[in-house]
Amino acid sequence: MSPLSRRVREARERAGLSQGELARRAGVHPTYISHVESGRRSLGEDALARIAQVLDLPFAFLRDGEAAPGYQSADTAIVEARRLTRTGDPRGAAEVLAGVDVSGLDVDAAARVGLAHAEALDLAGELEASIDVLERLCAQLLDAHRYDRAAYAAMRIVMALTEAADLHRAVARGEDLLSRLPAEATAGDEVVRLESTIIWAYVARGDTTYARYRGGQLLARARAHGTPRAVSSVHWNLAFVDDALGEPGSALLQIESAIALAGVDEVDRDLPRLRLDRAVLLVSVDPPRPVEALADLDAAQTALEIGESQVELARAASVRSRALLLHGDPEAAVRYAEQAVELLRDGVRRDAASAHEVLGDALLAQTLSTEAVKEYRSAADLLDMIVSGRPAATLWRRIGDRLRLAGDDDARVAEAYGRALAAAGIRGDMPPRPRRTGLEIHPDR
């Protein structure tokens, strides 16, 4: 079978057309498509153009495949964007990918460019722009019946909205996109992973009881019909449910189940991120296990660096700082916490508030109270920009505890506790926000 014959057959099958139906719509003899796909006949330019139109494919792709000039340009742009990202210029990478003309590409090639563009924008701290790209891409993939790819793009949308702490929107958008997938697609790995990510958004929003119920149902379905990777994804997100319910030991068991299943595949890009989340839990259990957490971080670090996600690298640095602090090395803890703060300087994320918090803890452990208060206040300033919910309430309460331990004034401490109550939806009188003066120090953004 020639490459052209293979492209025609694969495109026809993806479109859900029989050979006879494609021939009828393209205006060719009923046996013509069969002969083309078997390699017994070649395609003239006119017939090729009509078949490309029916299959909704660019003529150049159907004729030349990925050797077509537009495809070579797109591949070159993706390679250049990766180079720019590795050298610390994700905005430059986003500009390169924004300049790619995808009008001459098939939907799958256009999706590769779109996903790379969204990732570059995310790394540059432009979450809303990244979400806009993913939304357009998801709509195109749904229209083209590329349901697995559409589910993956939808999952990225939910993840980005959750990272931006736009939790109500994350849940609503995720449920809407999930409902657009046909029933026959719901057993696919990417669809299971999408629903798992929606459960994570419910947890972040504070709907932990519903998240546990929904997660149990999804786990049973994934075990019956899914692959080990799909089941791993559900265990992974159930770990967040258990942790949110104050059960870090149970959460750790869920993560370990997810790691065991992820290891079934020879290469799994999720494994480093699972190890990172396991490290988070290891410093949270009672008693904490910082040495094991550091071992997990060491095992994940190289893969996280290759993955080039500043958010994940920042989370790893924050967790390493926490583990080092528990291990009795506050000076090293300060260095890694400062690294996390720097990586998250652009954009507004919950992780950035947590990074300032852990830096404050490391400074306080060295009795640097003034510097610690500055970091806690920076965390509070970031929390002001984050939508209310259980995570925000938890962070505000911790910031209140830290400000009190660092000796900040009573008004600041009371304000933090009041905001924790407000974020949790508990009504009450909150103290007025302290008036800012020109002498106060604010974090660079």
Side-chain angles (χ1 to χ4, degrees):
M1 182 184 293
S2 70
L4 173 60
S5 300
R6 186 177 296 109
R7 285 193 294 274
V8 171
R9 187 192 67 183
E10 289 175 352
R12 176 184 60 77
E13 290 175 348
R14 279 199 303 266
L17 298 176
S18 66
Q19 292 177 337
E21 179 63 16
L22 175 57
R24 186 187 67 78
R25 294 191 188 185
V28 297
H29 192 275
T31 62
Y32 188 73
I33 300 299
S34 173
H35 291 163
V36 168
E37 291 186 4
S38 64
R40 285 180 286 169
R41 292 198 63 170
S42 60
L43 273 170
E45 295 276 307
D46 182 59
L48 185 63
R50 294 201 302 274
I51 290 170
Q53 184 176 15
V54 171
L55 296 173
D56 195 23
L57 285 174
F59 172 79
F61 171 72
L62 198 56
R63 184 187 60 196
D64 302 322
E66 296 193 359
Y71 285 78
Q72 293 177 342
S73 298
D75 287 343
T76 299
I78 289 173
V79 170
E80 173 63 8
R82 287 175 180 160
R83 184 191 69 78
L84 288 168
T85 300
R86 289 194 183 99
T87 56
D89 186 12
R91 282 193 172 82
E95 289 174 6
V96 167
L97 292 164
V100 176
D101 180 9
V102 297
S103 62
L105 304 180
D106 70 287
V107 67
D108 297 307
R112 287 197 296 273
V113 175
L115 289 169
H117 187 200
E119 178 70 12
L121 288 167
D122 189 317
L123 293 174
E126 298 179 26
L127 277 177
E128 280 299 330
S130 176
I131 291 165
D132 287 344
V133 170
L134 289 168
E135 287 280 10
R136 291 194 298 272
L137 178 59
C138 190
Q140 291 163 3
L141 290 166
L142 284 169
D143 288 343
H145 302 161
R146 303 294 202 277
Y147 296 124
D148 274 356
R149 285 177 174 266
Y152 177 74
M155 179 183 70
R156 291 271 300 272
I157 291 168
V158 177
M159 289 176 66
L161 288 169
T162 306
E163 286 175 7
D166 196 347
L167 303 176
H168 298 296
R169 187 175 159 206
V171 167
R173 197 72 192 106
E175 294 285 22
D176 177 58
L177 290 169
L178 181 64
S179 71
R180 298 188 187 188
L181 296 166
E184 63 268 20
T186 55
D189 276 14
E190 295 302 343
V191 181
V192 171
R193 285 159 60 82
L194 167 59
E195 190 167 355
S196 294
T197 307
I198 295 169
I199 290 169
W200 172 50
Y202 274 112
V203 173
R205 198 174 72 171
D207 301 321
T208 48
T209 302
Y210 174 70
R212 172 169 279 181
Y213 167 74
R214 176 85 168 266
Q217 287 189 318
L218 182 60
L219 182 60
R221 201 163 71 242
R223 282 174 171 165
H225 305 291
T227 66
R229 188 165 181 251
V231 179
S232 173
S233 173
V234 182
H235 277 295
W236 191 356
N237 284 280
L238 284 174
F240 297 126
V241 177
D242 290 344
D243 188 44
L245 288 169
E247 302 172 14
S250 297
L252 194 55
L253 291 174
Q254 296 279 12
I255 282 286
E256 287 169 351
S257 294
I259 288 172
L261 288 161
V264 169
D265 296 329
E266 280 188 36
V267 179
D268 196 309
R269 63 188 176 189
D270 291 335
L271 199 53
R273 296 165 58 215
L274 281 163
R275 291 192 182 280
L276 172 55
D277 284 335
R278 183 173 185 268
V280 172
L281 292 169
L282 286 167
V283 297
S284 303
V285 294
D286 187 18
R289 293 149 62 180
V291 174
E292 291 177 63
L294 290 169
D296 266 339
L297 292 168
D298 288 341
Q301 187 66 29
T302 299
L304 292 175
E305 289 172 355
I306 292 171
E308 302 164 352
S309 169
Q310 288 176 283
V311 176
E312 287 169 1
L313 288 170
R315 286 188 66 225
S318 288
V319 179
R320 190 178 291 276
S321 175
R322 184 74 68 196
L324 288 165
L325 198 55
L326 290 166
H327 198 48
D329 191 350
E331 291 184 3
V334 167
R335 289 198 304 274
Y336 281 102
E338 288 175 338
Q339 183 183 112
V341 168
E342 180 60 31
L343 283 166
L344 294 172
R345 187 173 299 279
D346 294 326
V348 177
R349 302 175 188 263
R350 286 180 298 137
D351 288 315
S354 298
H356 281 285
E357 178 194 353
V358 74
L359 178 53
D361 290 350
L363 291 166
L364 191 60
Q366 296 186 75
T367 66
L368 299 171
S369 299
T370 302
E371 292 85 348
V373 166
K374 172 193 169 186
E375 296 305 324
Y376 295 142
R377 289 184 178 182
S378 296
D381 286 341
L382 285 164
L383 282 175
D384 261 348
M385 307 176 201
I386 291 175
V387 178
S388 294
R390 183 186 293 266
T394 302
L395 282 171
W396 271 118
R397 180 183 57 76
R398 289 209 307 258
I399 292 300
D401 292 342
R402 270 39 173 209
L403 289 170
R404 180 173 54 79
L405 288 171
D408 203 3
D409 61 77
D410 290 344
R412 287 277 187 179
V413 175
E415 180 203 8
Y417 286 136
R419 288 179 179 274
L421 292 172
I426 300 172
R427 295 180 178 277
D429 293 331
M430 285 179 52
R433 187 171 180 81
R435 182 175 299 173
R436 299 192 182 279
T437 72
L439 298 177
E440 292 187 332
I441 302 173
H442 300 285
D444 295 329
R445 294 193 182 91

